[in-house]
């Protein structure tokens, strides 16, 4: 039997789960079992956990459905535990180095206590000083093992479940489990404190709680706040049944109702049912108030007295008197120009147009990418919706006939942004755009992240300087309701890079649908449009942008490269979209396709891809055609930009470091041999998970038509997909 069983629920924390698991497995004290609790075998966190279980026999995953919530996940882990003591660790928290050794030593010193409370550190997600909220409470407890009556303020209400370690036999004998619903820590902590006979404390930080930028889920608005009263009633009823002495009941009562009053007075938590919440809380207060209880002084004492009397009108007036104007200030529109501000403000007072969808791609550079693919599918599945595409003045020509558009900065632009219920973008709308209640913002992204993104860029000075204010960036992120991903890797990285409260949709990228739906005729048509000669193999060369360089440089002498590989090839040059304007860089066997509106068309036309670190490789992999990585400056790029994984360890095909090596893989045919095919298969398995040709349909049904998740078409397995055929290559 291991000394410790460590239960780690993982719902919604796939991006940070590795930190939690690593912090446990790196402990100097190794007598433990680690029990990650995943939603299902195919959940985002399950991918992370599987690798750990394969490498370390102490990792034993279990599953609990999301509908059972945090309480269900912890109870499932508890039932699977066989250790002498149980420790609950949230999936985005970490054990400090030496934590388990310190707990083991303390338990040896105190003997078999039912619960050992310890300190924890709350660490700000961005900047600021860590806090140790448990320290003052634990400092007033006896030094050795003691009975709960010697520390009556140690009620368990104010300490999270992961701020203690529990004797498993005690929990089993007393039939203590996490109460269902929200605020389960309040109920569990109090029930443990009520039933424990011998407790002890460790005045050392054991867990480092990593605060989320979006805050605790329990602090979000919603009807779930009523469940705090369920936990309060459960605990006080058990205390009454147990005949808890007054010196212990009073602090328990006071701490429970401190949480209740904080919720009742918070203007954003209870979006509806405030009066019903207050009345039920008032009933509980009067029913369970200890004999001789005296309310605290000051404003809190006034709230206690109003709750005791059931005076909701007076309580509401008191709450309004303390409310600040921050919410109103946050909603003030700030577009440039007085007239524009006034027009926009006036439009914001009009009702939302529930049939209006506004699309934008690449900051208005044209009709392209995921927004264009969603728009096209919406015309088919939701023809009742009016769609307006936002474009810069010089991109109007890219808008297909019959597609309504608005020029960015125009009166129409601000009017549709103010009125639209649905806003779809693959980048971000202007800072001045207000997120109206009832509107739905969909962030589609425009690539799979190899390079660091969002908040993760902060530690790379060159990139951070170009990014500007991270506070403003994250304010834009806060407007998102949905964020689209095409693979589990993206799900995890977006969670880290763009921390907020939006929902992740693992639906695939709509722009990549064409890779599964295009025919040989479509491929031939595109090649003809681009000017690819019949019978020639077309190699797409698509280098990415470099933050440390100025202007566009191919990094490769393409004319010399063409001469070296033979005349059976032509090269399609597509520069990064930052450099899609200017004179043509083509000539001879080099066809400049940078200005072509659709990168999907260009990929369909190409028999193979040459790229460096561009995210186009993840999209092109859906075609199951050869990819060659030209990594002449990988070390510099990795150090200056930062990357999420080592591409050299997991390439989509052959890797070349010099022009000579690159030419050689085409001369000897190794660019498309069995080794290259094997590398590509592993790459596709990891990064082509959701791009099955039906992504746009899933998005339209879920976001624009509001269909329930259960009715959304499932993702077709990778092995069952048939990519669009290449013009000159025969796929095995």
């Amino acid at each position: 039997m291991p000394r410790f069983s460590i239960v780690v629920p993982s719902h919604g924390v796939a991006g940070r789960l590795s930190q939690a698991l690593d912090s446990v497995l790196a402990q100097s004290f190794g007598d433990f079992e680690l029990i990650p609790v995943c939603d299902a075998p195919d959940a985002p966190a399950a991918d992370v956990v599987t690798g750990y279980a394969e490498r370390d026999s102490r990792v034993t995953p279990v599953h609990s459905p999301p509908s059972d919530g945090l309480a269900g996940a912890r109870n499932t882990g508890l039932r699977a535990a066989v250790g002498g003591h149980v420790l609950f660790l949230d999936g985005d928290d970490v054990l400090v180095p030496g934590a388990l050794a310190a707990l083991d030593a303390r338990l040896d010193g105190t003997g078999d206590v039912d619960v050992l409370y310890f300190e924890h550190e709350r660490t700000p997600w961005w900047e600021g000083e860590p806090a140790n909220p448990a320290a003052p409470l634990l400092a007033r407890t006896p030094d050795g093992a003691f009975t709960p009556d010697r520390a009556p303020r140690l009620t368990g209400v104010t300490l999270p479940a992961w701020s203690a370690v529990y004797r498993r036999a005690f929990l089993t004998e007393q039939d203590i489990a996490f109460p269902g619903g929200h605020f389960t820590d309040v109920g569990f902590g109090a029930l443990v404190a009520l039933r424990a006979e011998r407790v002890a404390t460790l005045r050392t930080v054991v867990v480092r709680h990593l605060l989320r930028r979006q805050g605790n889920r329990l602090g979000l608005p919603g009807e779930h706040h009523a469940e705090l009263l369920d936990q309060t009633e459960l605990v006080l009823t058990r205390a009454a049944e147990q005949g808890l002495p007054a010196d212990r009941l009073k602090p328990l009562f006071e701490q429970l109702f401190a949480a209740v009053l904080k919720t009742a007075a918070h203007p954003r938590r209870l979006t509806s049912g405030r009066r019903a919440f207050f009345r039920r809380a008032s009933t509980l207060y009067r029913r369970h108030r200890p004999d001789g209880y005296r309310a605290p002084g000051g404003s809190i004492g006034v709230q206690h007295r109003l709750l005791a009397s059931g005076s909701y009108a007076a309580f509401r007036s008191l709450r309004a008197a303390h409310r600040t104007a921050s919410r109103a200030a946050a909603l003030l529109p700030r577009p440039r120009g007085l007239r524009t501000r006034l027009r926009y403000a006036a439009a914001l007072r009009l009702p939302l147009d529930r049939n209006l969808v506004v699309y934008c791609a690449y900051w208005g550079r044209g009709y392209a990418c995921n927004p264009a693919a969603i728009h096209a599918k919406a015309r088919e599945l939701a023809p009742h919706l009016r769609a307006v595409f936002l474009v810069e003045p010089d991109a109007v020509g890219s808008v297909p006939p019959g597609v309504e558009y608005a020029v960015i900065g125009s009166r129409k632009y601000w009017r549709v942004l103010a009125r639209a219920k649905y806003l779809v973008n693959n980048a971000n709308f202007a800072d001045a755009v207000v997120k109206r209640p009832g509107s739905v913002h969909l962030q589609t992204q425009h690539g799979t992240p190899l390079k660091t993104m969002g908040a993760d860029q902060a530690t790379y000075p060159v990139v951070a300087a170009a990014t500007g204010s991270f506070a403003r960036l994250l304010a834009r992120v806060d407007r998102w309701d949905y964020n689209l991903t095409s693979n589990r890797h993206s799900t995890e990285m977006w969670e880290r890079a763009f921390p907020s409260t939006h929902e992740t949709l693992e639906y695939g990228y709509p722009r990549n649908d064409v890779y599964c739906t295009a025919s040989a005729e479509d491929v031939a048509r595109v090649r003809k449009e681009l000017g690819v000669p019949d019978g020639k193999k077309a190699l797409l060369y698509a280098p990415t942008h470099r933050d440390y360089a100025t202007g566009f440089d191919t990094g490769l002498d393409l004319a010399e490269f063409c001469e070296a590989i033979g005349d059976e090839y032509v090269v399609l040059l597509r520069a990064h979209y930052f450099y899609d304007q200017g004179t043509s860089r083509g000539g001879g066997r080099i066809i400049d396709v940078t200005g072509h509106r659709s990168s999907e068309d260009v990929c369909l036309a190409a028999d193979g891809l040459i790229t460096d670190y561009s995210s186009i490789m993840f999209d092109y992999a859906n075609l199951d055609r050869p990819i060659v990585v030209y990594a002449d400056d990988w070390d510099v790029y990795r150090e200056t930009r930062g990357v999420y994984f080592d591409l050299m360890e997991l390439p989509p095909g052959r890797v070349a470091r010099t022009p000579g090596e690159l030419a050689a893989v085409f001369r000897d045919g190794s660019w498309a041999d069995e080794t290259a095919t094997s590398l590509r298969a592993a790459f596709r398995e990891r990064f082509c998970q959701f791009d099955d040709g039906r992504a746009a349909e899933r998005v339209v049904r879920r976001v624009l038509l509001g269909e329930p998740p259960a009715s959304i078409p499932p993702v077709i397995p990778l092995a069952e997909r048939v990519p669009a055929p290449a013009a000159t290559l025969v796929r095995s």
Side-chain angles (χ1 to χ4, degrees):
M1 179 175 67
R3 177 67 148 165
F4 299 107
S5 293
I6 304 169
V7 178
V8 186
S10 63
H11 179 72
V13 294
R16 297 168 74 170
L17 181 59
S18 292
Q19 299 178 60
L21 302 183
D22 287 342
S23 74
V24 176
L25 296 174
Q27 292 289 312
S28 57
F29 184 91
D31 187 17
F32 62 82
E33 62 171 350
L34 177 56
I35 308 175
V37 187
C38 304
D39 294 343
D42 60 347
D47 288 350
V48 178
V49 168
T50 298
Y52 283 88
E54 291 173 350
R55 295 190 298 271
D56 196 313
S57 60
R58 295 174 297 179
V59 181
T60 55
V62 295
H63 300 102
S64 176
S67 58
D68 287 353
L70 178 61
R74 286 174 171 169
N75 289 334
T76 297
L78 178 59
R79 287 192 295 270
V82 297
H85 292 79
V86 182
L87 174 67
F88 298 97
L89 184 70
D90 278 0
D92 51 0
D93 296 342
V94 297
L95 288 182
V96 302
L100 295 184
L103 290 174
D104 177 67
R106 182 61 172 158
L107 289 171
D108 283 344
T110 61
D112 236 4
V113 294
D114 296 326
V115 56
L116 172 64
Y117 297 101
F118 50 74
E119 296 176 6
H120 64 271
E121 185 176 88
R122 293 180 178 267
T123 305
W125 83 275
W126 188 254
E127 60 183 13
E129 292 298 321
N132 186 345
L137 177 62
L138 301 188
R140 297 193 292 268
T141 59
D143 289 334
F146 55 90
T147 55
D149 60 287
R150 296 182 60 196
R153 296 201 63 79
L154 196 59
T155 66
V157 172
T158 60
L159 293 175
W162 38 260
S163 195
V165 62
Y166 312 89
R167 186 166 62 88
R168 187 171 63 84
F170 158 70
L171 297 178
T172 303
E173 292 163 1
Q174 297 295 329
D175 195 24
I176 297 176
F178 286 88
H182 294 81
F183 303 96
T184 185
D185 280 24
V186 172
F188 179 80
L191 293 176
V192 166
L194 286 175
R195 303 303 296 167
E197 296 180 356
R198 293 184 76 246
V199 301
T201 60
L202 173 62
R203 301 186 189 103
T204 300
V205 171
V206 172
V207 171
R208 184 168 293 121
H209 176 59
L210 306 178
L211 295 172
R212 293 165 167 245
R213 175 179 175 269
Q214 57 268 42
N216 191 306
R217 296 188 187 96
L218 298 181
L220 298 176
E223 297 178 355
H224 64 277
H225 287 283
E227 296 177 29
L228 175 59
L229 299 180
D230 296 338
Q231 304 289 353
T232 299
E233 183 172 16
L234 169 67
V235 169
L236 291 176
T237 299
R238 293 284 182 87
E241 293 171 351
Q242 187 174 318
L244 195 68
D247 61 340
R248 292 186 62 193
L249 180 58
K250 289 180 180 179
L252 176 65
F253 177 87
E254 187 170 287
Q255 290 172 20
L256 285 169
F257 277 95
V260 170
L261 285 168
K262 184 177 181 180
T263 296
H266 200 294
R268 294 182 181 176
R269 291 186 179 179
L270 289 168
T271 54
S272 62
R274 296 191 186 105
R275 185 185 297 272
F277 181 94
F278 185 87
R279 286 177 174 172
R280 183 184 172 198
S282 178
T283 300
L284 289 175
Y285 189 97
R286 292 192 297 270
R287 180 188 304 158
H288 293 284
R289 179 172 48 187
D291 294 338
Y293 176 75
R294 296 183 61 183
S299 175
I300 296 297
V302 174
Q303 293 182 40
H304 272 261
R305 287 189 285 276
L306 292 176
L307 188 63
S309 64
S311 304
Y312 177 69
F315 183 85
R316 182 176 57 186
S317 300
L318 178 67
R319 181 188 66 202
H322 289 85
R323 191 177 306 170
T324 67
S326 59
R327 183 177 181 182
L331 292 177
L332 288 176
R334 296 184 178 86
R336 294 180 180 178
L338 178 59
R339 290 184 180 179
T340 302
R341 287 200 297 270
L342 292 175
R343 291 194 195 101
Y344 186 47
L348 286 170
R349 289 194 290 271
L350 298 173
L352 283 175
D353 185 339
R354 300 193 175 277
N355 289 324
L356 177 58
V357 189
V358 170
Y359 297 90
C360 190
Y362 298 116
W363 305 276
R365 301 177 76 87
Y367 184 85
C369 196
N370 291 318
I374 296 170
H375 170 267
K377 182 59 67 172
R379 297 178 83 174
E380 172 190 335
L381 299 179
H384 64 286
L385 296 177
R386 174 194 172 197
V388 179
F389 229 94
L390 307 181
V391 292
E392 290 287 357
D394 59 358
V396 170
S398 75
V399 181
V403 175
E404 185 179 356
Y405 66 88
V407 174
I408 290 178
S410 66
R411 291 187 182 185
K412 181 178 180 180
Y413 166 83
W414 287 109
R415 187 169 64 251
V416 296
L417 280 174
R419 301 283 319 272
K421 176 172 182 178
Y422 305 100
L423 294 98
V424 181
N425 207 327
N426 73 348
N428 262 309
F429 291 98
D431 290 345
V433 173
V434 171
K435 175 68 165 73
R436 295 186 63 178
S439 66
V440 177
H441 286 230
L442 169 65
Q443 168 59 254
T444 73
Q445 302 294 347
H446 53 271
T448 291
L450 167 61
K451 59 191 176 188
T452 54
M453 302 293 289
D456 289 338
Q457 297 173 348
T459 55
Y460 295 90
V462 173
V463 189
T467 301
S469 168
F470 284 94
R472 290 173 64 184
L473 166 67
L474 293 170
R476 296 191 289 270
V477 171
D478 284 340
R479 296 184 302 208
W480 303 354
D481 292 290
Y482 298 103
N483 185 32
L484 202 58
T485 78
S486 58
N487 48 62
R488 279 283 156 75
H489 164 77
S490 295
T491 300
E492 296 172 22
M493 296 310 105
W494 294 148
E495 181 184 316
R496 288 175 40 181
F498 303 117
S500 194
T501 58
H502 52 261
E503 179 181 348
T504 296
L505 300 179
E506 292 185 320
Y507 286 176
Y509 281 164
R511 71 181 185 188
N512 291 343
D513 285 353
V514 69
Y515 298 143
C516 291
T517 61
S519 65
E521 290 75 18
D522 294 322
V523 173
R525 173 185 52 79
V526 173
R527 285 169 67 92
K528 185 176 181 180
E529 290 177 3
L530 297 179
V532 179
D534 290 340
K536 296 290 186 181
K537 292 185 176 69
L539 303 177
L540 172 59
Y541 178 52
T544 192
H545 166 67
R546 282 154 175 75
D547 300 274
Y548 57 86
T550 302
F552 175 74
D553 182 2
T554 63
L556 181 67
D557 188 326
L558 291 178
E560 188 175 294
F561 171 70
C562 287
E563 186 67 27
I565 63 176
D567 61 5
E568 63 180 302
Y569 299 97
V570 295
V571 172
L572 305 176
L573 169 62
R574 188 169 181 84
H576 190 274
Y577 58 79
F578 285 179
Y579 314 107
D580 63 357
Q581 297 176 353
T583 58
S584 173
R585 307 172 186 88
R589 287 160 53 199
I590 304 167
I591 304 172
D592 190 346
V593 296
T594 301
H596 190 77
R597 69 173 184 84
S598 170
S599 62
E600 294 77 52
D601 279 358
V602 173
C603 287
L604 284 173
D607 299 291
L609 170 67
I610 304 170
T611 187
D612 41 23
Y613 326 117
S614 170
S615 65
I616 198 172
M617 72 178 78
F618 301 98
D619 304 314
Y620 191 82
N622 285 287
L623 288 167
D624 197 15
R625 302 178 191 174
I627 302 173
V628 177
V629 175
Y630 178 52
D632 61 329
D633 62 346
W634 169 249
D635 293 333
V636 175
Y637 185 86
R638 179 174 56 184
E639 291 301 317
T640 56
R641 178 60 203 238
V643 295
Y644 286 121
F645 67 92
D646 189 345
L647 182 63
M648 301 303 103
E649 295 294 327
L650 191 70
R654 294 288 187 177
V655 176
R657 296 273 192 168
T658 66
E661 291 179 4
L662 182 62
V665 300
F666 287 94
R667 283 199 305 267
D668 63 19
S670 59
W671 68 293
D673 65 6
E674 290 185 5
T675 298
T677 302
S678 177
L679 291 170
R680 186 170 72 251
F683 191 84
R684 281 166 48 79
E685 191 71 29
R686 182 175 180 184
F687 296 112
C688 298
Q689 288 170 291
F690 310 135
D691 289 337
D692 64 348
R694 302 189 68 180
E697 178 185 353
R698 283 189 282 269
V699 171
V700 171
R701 292 191 182 281
R702 176 71 190 284
V703 179
L704 302 185
L705 294 177
E707 295 184 8
S711 70
I712 304 304
V715 174
I716 300 171
L718 185 63
E720 298 177 17
R721 302 174 205 166
V722 181
T728 64
L729 297 177
V730 178
R731 184 177 295 108
S732 171

